[in-house]
Amino acid sequence: MSTISDSFSTNVNSTNFGRRNRNWLDLPDDITSKILFKLSTVDIIQTAQYVCPSWENICKNNSSMWQGIDMRNLGTEHSNKDLDKICREAVDFSKGQLLEISIEKFATNELLNYIAERSSNLKRLRLISCREIKNEGLIEAVAKLPLLEELELTYCPIYKNALEEIGKSCPLLNSFKFNDVFPYYFEPDAEARAIANSMPGLRHLHLVRHRLTSNGLRAILNGCPLLESLDLRKCEHIHFRGELKKTCVDQVRSLKLPDASMDDYPHSFQFPIPEEDDYYDPCPDICGCHGSYSDSESEDGYAIDVDAYGLI
């Protein structure tokens, strides 16, 4: 007579036997895709697709696997040239279905335009510490991304004329992170005014460690009336007082002031915050900004030609 113990033992042995003899290559494609999705972009491109013809077919032809590409925190194991090649192959596999891509350090103007030309449905773009990205490359790329909703530019050498074009080219943009920007610029509120004038639909704006002043903040509050969250941590040249403080508190539901904790900030600081007289104009021929300073001072102590930058 069989007992409960015997039956349990038989079931366990049968289960273990099945596990030892399971052929993982016989899994349904949708299950295999979910497993492969857990791997990094680099691991899939360099290794997983070469395991067997079945996996290669899934990697190359299941475009839903490639709706998101994350190439951040990759260390120093791979050269920028190798990462560029891997990224292009991943974009090719997406077959135009790419919705989100994040790149840290190795992006160039050429790579960004390669992505844009093949990803007109892109909604989220994050570029972190991509020092080879320049104004002209970003302007050319965003012109091909009319559906872009979220953009992050953290420690990238991008200035006001590119921001203006982003606003014009991406009317659906509602979230913009412009953090830890290159500090040595001719006028501390130039980018703030570009945002205010070209991105009226913004609901979320991060300007961590930015050099904007109270004037720049006023412009943003006036030009972006839909703002729900505003991160101004380490923006040490804004004077929160009186009407400005009241407007911020009343208008913005989630507000992080300059002295708020940085514990949850995901990036390391790239440079010290400069002093006022460290500024210079890096692109006078492009921006035509000669003579932008005058003898008159703003309330924040900056000598600014208010007519040149539309301060009044």
Side-chain angles (χ1 to χ4, degrees):
M1 177 184 295
S2 63
T3 64
I4 294 177
S5 176
D6 293 335
S7 177
F8 178 76
S9 177
T10 300
N11 289 337
V12 170
N13 290 335
S14 175
T15 300
N16 288 338
F17 178 80
R19 284 179 178 171
R20 285 196 299 269
N21 291 274
R22 177 179 295 160
N23 187 347
W24 291 96
L25 302 182
D26 290 336
L27 287 173
D29 286 356
D30 60 332
I31 301 298
T32 302
S33 296
K34 290 179 180 179
I35 294 173
L36 294 175
F37 186 75
K38 302 292 184 181
L39 301 177
S40 70
T41 298
V42 173
D43 286 338
I44 294 174
I45 296 297
Q46 287 199 319
T47 305
Q49 68 166 316
Y50 299 113
V51 168
C52 66
S54 174
W55 284 23
E56 181 181 18
N57 179 65
I58 292 172
C59 292
K60 289 184 175 181
N61 296 307
N62 187 350
S63 57
S64 63
M65 279 183 54
W66 301 101
Q67 290 184 343
I69 296 173
D70 189 350
M71 300 196 70
R72 295 173 293 177
N73 304 314
L74 298 177
T76 58
E77 180 180 352
H78 305 280
S79 69
N80 286 353
K81 183 177 179 180
D82 288 340
L83 293 174
D84 182 288
K85 182 179 179 181
I86 291 169
C87 186
R88 290 173 189 251
E89 189 168 351
V91 170
D92 291 341
F93 286 176
S94 75
K95 294 179 170 58
Q97 300 305 306
L98 184 64
L99 300 178
E100 176 177 355
I101 187 166
S102 303
I103 300 176
E104 185 171 2
K105 293 184 179 180
F106 67 90
T108 62
N109 288 345
E110 293 75 18
L111 175 59
L112 188 58
N113 275 280
Y114 187 91
I115 295 167
E117 288 172 356
R118 293 158 178 79
S119 310
S120 59
N121 293 314
L122 195 70
K123 292 185 177 182
R124 289 173 288 279
L125 172 63
R126 301 183 186 93
L127 300 172
I128 297 103
S129 298
C130 295
R131 305 184 192 185
E132 297 302 315
I133 295 288
K134 301 297 189 294
N135 273 10
E136 62 274 14
L138 185 60
I139 290 172
E140 183 179 353
V142 297
K144 304 163 188 170
L145 301 174
L147 301 183
L148 197 67
E149 297 177 3
E150 300 177 17
L151 175 64
E152 177 175 354
L153 301 172
T154 292
Y155 196 51
C156 296
I158 300 301
Y159 302 112
K160 67 163 189 167
N161 56 328
L163 301 189
E164 292 166 351
E165 294 303 319
I166 290 170
K168 294 176 185 177
S169 299
C170 307
L172 301 181
L173 193 69
N174 62 68
S175 177
F176 185 32
K177 294 182 179 181
F178 191 48
N179 299 327
D180 222 10
V181 296
F182 276 52
Y184 305 119
Y185 200 47
F186 64 94
E187 201 270 294
D189 286 327
E191 291 94 350
R193 298 188 186 287
I195 292 170
N197 293 334
S198 65
M199 303 179 187
L202 283 184
R203 295 182 180 274
H204 309 283
L205 178 61
H206 291 220
L207 295 171
V208 177
R209 280 173 52 94
H210 203 283
R211 277 297 301 252
L212 82 163
T213 70
S214 300
N215 284 331
L217 177 56
R218 286 192 187 91
I220 288 174
L221 293 173
N222 290 331
C224 305
L226 302 179
L227 274 182
E228 299 175 8
S229 65
L230 179 60
D231 191 341
L232 298 169
R233 287 177 292 178
K234 295 298 180 182
C235 293
E236 298 178 354
H237 299 277
I238 299 174
H239 300 160
F240 278 95
R241 59 188 179 219
E243 183 180 352
L244 178 60
K245 182 177 181 179
K246 183 178 184 303
T247 302
C248 278
V249 173
D250 291 345
Q251 182 174 333
V252 183
R253 183 168 56 191
S254 176
L255 177 65
K256 292 185 178 181
L257 298 178
D259 58 353
S261 171
M262 295 292 292
D263 289 347
D264 63 344
Y265 188 63
H267 311 295
S268 60
F269 292 147
Q270 301 286 348
F271 51 77
I273 296 177
E275 298 298 328
E276 175 183 345
D277 57 2
D278 285 336
Y279 281 101
Y280 74 94
D281 177 359
C283 49
D285 296 329
I286 296 175
C287 297
C289 52
H290 292 297
S292 61
Y293 291 93
S294 72
D295 293 332
S296 62
E297 287 193 352
S298 72
E299 69 178 66
D300 299 293
Y302 291 96
I304 301 171
D305 181 346
V306 294
D307 292 325
Y309 294 101
L311 301 186
I312 58 174

